[in-house]
Amino acid sequence: MARFLMTVVRGTETEQIPVSGGETILNTLRAEDYREPDAPCGGQGTCKKCLVTVTGRVRSVEGLGERDVENTELLACRYYPAGDLTVTLKVKEKMNVVTAGAGDIAPGGTGLGFAVDIGTTTVAAFLYDLESGRRLGAEGGRNAQRSYGADVISRITCASVGKLPALRDAVRAQIAALAEDLCKKTGHDKHEIRRIAIAGNTVMEHLFTGLDPTNIGVAPFTPESLFGDHWKCADCLPELGIDADVYICPCVAGYVGGDITAGLVASGAPEAEGLWLYVDIGTNGEMGLGNAAGFVTCATAAGPAFEGAEISCGMDGSPGAVDKVTAKDGDVTVHVIGEGKAIGVCGSGLVDAISAMLTVGAVTEAGRMLPPEEAPEKVRYRIFRREDDTLAFRLKDDVFISAQDIREVQLAKSAIRAGAETLLQLQGKTAKDITSLVIAGGFGSFLDKRSALHIGLLPQVPLEKIVHVGNAAGAGAALSLADAGEAALQAFDKKCTYLELSSSKEFMENYVEYMAFDEEE
């Protein structure tokens, strides 16, 4: 029974929600399908990202009693409503979602085709005229499941405690809305959609279809399905027409999903010569090594650092994010998306920043940030001590990189580098044997090659061998809207094998070896 009234203010919109006080503010907002605020840690109170402005009476989850607040920023996951209150959400501007890479497809069929890349951080959608194969439009946004956690482990945890329906419905509603928006913008009716293709990592595909991903989170990491099958639109996206067919791109294993098989095919792997290293840098760090004969794939638990989570001033690639940092004349220069005030740093800016800090001598190869008295004179003014006496390096305005942030990047980059080196090592190869290093995914599209090599994120190959392919997963999903494209995905999936790194001593040895920033610029 409702006891209080929670007024939610989002931009110019206001909604009143009856609440009992038994759920946190964050969980209450989730239940009402609000996408704000982000909660990369899944509501555990560790990421400090779910700030909302509150006026009214609240109760702390720590049992510290009730108190009245007025226009106070609070973590939504740490407080319950304890009386009538007003919650004001920070409405984020639209983020940059990578849709480049998905072009026209083979003609065939009638009506419209709709392809979707369900990323852990973003969702990208593409609308096609099936008869001509022409791409009509593309759209995207933050994954609506972000308030349940930034990474797949957080979402697996949520699913395992009864929130699977909420996760499923959130992404389905988002996909349906993207389809309706694209159809409206291109002068079509959503019921013209006849074929739908979905690509995502194995957990995302489970959540979309409503299958329980819990077993993927525990050894031996066995998924309910590896997909590569067809679903009725009426069962998973009824808003888009009951006659449409939904194809789910095939996965290789629990942590190498349909986004990788789709991306490999779209990138030309079925015809690849020499030795390709394909890397999708995200929370999973999925990658594969091989050529037309087949790929050995693996996944590393890189964590969400490159997506902006677990980073002091981390955010996604939207206006206000520092996205480029360059070392110049012993100091650093900073670029901000939108050219306005800096409010955070996104993944590409984070990698650039650490590369630049290494170059100017503010950070050692071991990852230690130097105090002002030890740092080079030109950057001493940027280094300061925080309230907890830890060091931080100011980039611009109130945005900084902390010593702990550097540690998070070391852990993430070491996991990805170790995965790649282990694949090479077990096939008797080295970085010198790589003919093409293919970087896929949203984060990878903005990653500076020099910075990535400098911090040791990637095997040391010549710059000209590194290729950005944009949203390869979305491109592969789009290709599968045509019969020939679907057949290519099904065939190449059978040529991919999986290497489990959790039991690999070579991986653990490489993980330790590549922790330091020890590469030449």
Side-chain angles (χ1 to χ4, degrees), residues 59-83:
R59 174 169 53 91
S60 167
V61 300
E62 283 83 12
L64 301 179
E66 299 179 2
R67 64 184 175 117
D68 293 311
V69 295
E70 184 174 357
N71 291 327
T72 303
E73 282 197 333
L74 300 175
L75 294 176
C77 69
R78 299 292 91 189
Y79 290 91
Y80 299 99

Side-chain angles (χ1 to χ4, degrees), residues 288-371:
L289 183 71
N291 50 36
F295 273 69
V296 179
T297 65
C298 69
T300 63
F306 294 132
E307 307 290 355
E310 307 299 336
I311 299 298
S312 303
C313 297
M315 64 179 290
D316 51 36
S318 53
V322 171
D323 66 331
K324 295 178 184 177
V325 182
T326 307
K328 185 177 181 181
D329 299 329
D331 198 356
V332 303
T333 61
V334 176
H335 178 267
V336 179
I337 297 175
E339 311 294 342
K341 178 181 172 62
I343 59 175
V345 58
C346 64
S348 61
L350 180 64
V351 173
D352 273 1
I354 292 177
S355 174
M357 291 159 69
L358 286 164
T359 299
V360 301
V363 173
T364 70
E365 292 179 348
R368 174 177 172 255
M369 184 181 294
L370 298 180

Side-chain angles (χ1 to χ4, degrees), residues 381-422:
Y381 76 101
R382 292 186 178 273
I383 303 172
F384 64 97
R385 291 192 179 277
R386 303 172 68 193
E387 291 181 0
D388 60 1
D389 202 38
T390 59
L391 293 169
F393 184 97
R394 192 180 308 281
L395 295 176
K396 188 178 178 66
D397 300 322
D398 297 324
V399 178
F400 60 86
I401 303 295
S402 72
Q404 181 58 36
D405 295 338
I406 293 173
R407 179 63 173 170
E408 293 293 337
V409 172
Q410 282 185 285
L411 294 171
K413 76 96 179 176
S414 182
I416 291 171
R417 178 68 180 278
E421 295 291 347
T422 301

Side-chain angles (χ1 to χ4, degrees), residues 66-330:
E66 299 179 2
R67 64 184 175 117
D68 293 311
V69 295
E70 184 174 357
N71 291 327
T72 303
E73 282 197 333
L74 300 175
L75 294 176
C77 69
R78 299 292 91 189
Y79 290 91
Y80 299 99
D84 293 345
L85 73 165
T86 298
V87 176
T88 302
L89 306 178
K90 295 180 181 179
V91 182
K92 291 188 176 182
E93 294 190 55
K94 186 175 180 179
M95 73 177 296
N96 295 326
V97 177
V98 176
T99 56
D104 294 343
I105 61 174
T110 59
L112 301 178
F114 182 59
V116 184
D117 166 30
I118 306 177
T120 310
T121 303
T122 63
V123 175
F126 309 86
L127 189 68
Y128 286 85
D129 180 306
L130 291 177
E131 186 172 359
S132 66
R134 185 168 61 91
R135 191 179 102 168
L136 301 177
E139 191 62 81
R142 296 177 181 85
N143 189 314
Q145 300 169 341
R146 284 272 295 179
S147 65
Y148 294 90
D151 54 43
V152 294
I153 299 301
S154 298
R155 295 185 202 170
I156 288 173
T157 301
C158 283
S160 69
V161 294
K163 292 185 170 62
L164 175 57
L167 288 159
R168 176 199 65 205
D169 294 347
V171 74
R172 286 182 177 182
Q174 181 178 16
I175 290 171
L178 286 169
E180 291 190 41
D181 186 47
L182 278 171
C183 286
K184 184 177 180 180
K185 286 181 178 178
T186 57
H188 291 277
D189 187 284
K190 63 183 181 181
H191 296 297
E192 295 178 52
I193 295 175
R194 290 291 176 266
R195 300 189 72 162
I196 299 170
I198 304 289
N201 65 51
T202 315
V203 174
M204 291 303 105
E205 292 190 356
H206 273 65
L207 295 178
F208 169 76
T209 55
L211 295 181
D212 187 355
T214 301
N215 287 337
I216 302 177
V218 294
F221 317 113
T222 305
E224 292 289 318
S225 173
L226 290 175
F227 301 102
D229 52 3
H230 293 259
W231 293 61
K232 293 181 179 179
C233 189
D235 293 334
C236 52
L237 289 170
E239 302 94 332
L240 301 187
I242 59 173
D243 296 328
D245 173 81
V246 182
Y247 173 66
I248 313 293
C249 294
C251 305
V252 180
Y255 285 107
V256 175
D259 53 345
I260 300 304
T261 53
L264 283 168
V265 170
S267 302
E271 295 81 37
E273 298 179 352
L275 186 68
W276 278 27
L277 176 63
Y278 179 96
V279 186
D280 188 331
I281 305 173
T283 57
N284 294 340
E286 298 153 308
M287 63 193 76
L289 183 71
N291 50 36
F295 273 69
V296 179
T297 65
C298 69
T300 63
F306 294 132
E307 307 290 355
E310 307 299 336
I311 299 298
S312 303
C313 297
M315 64 179 290
D316 51 36
S318 53
V322 171
D323 66 331
K324 295 178 184 177
V325 182
T326 307
K328 185 177 181 181
D329 299 329

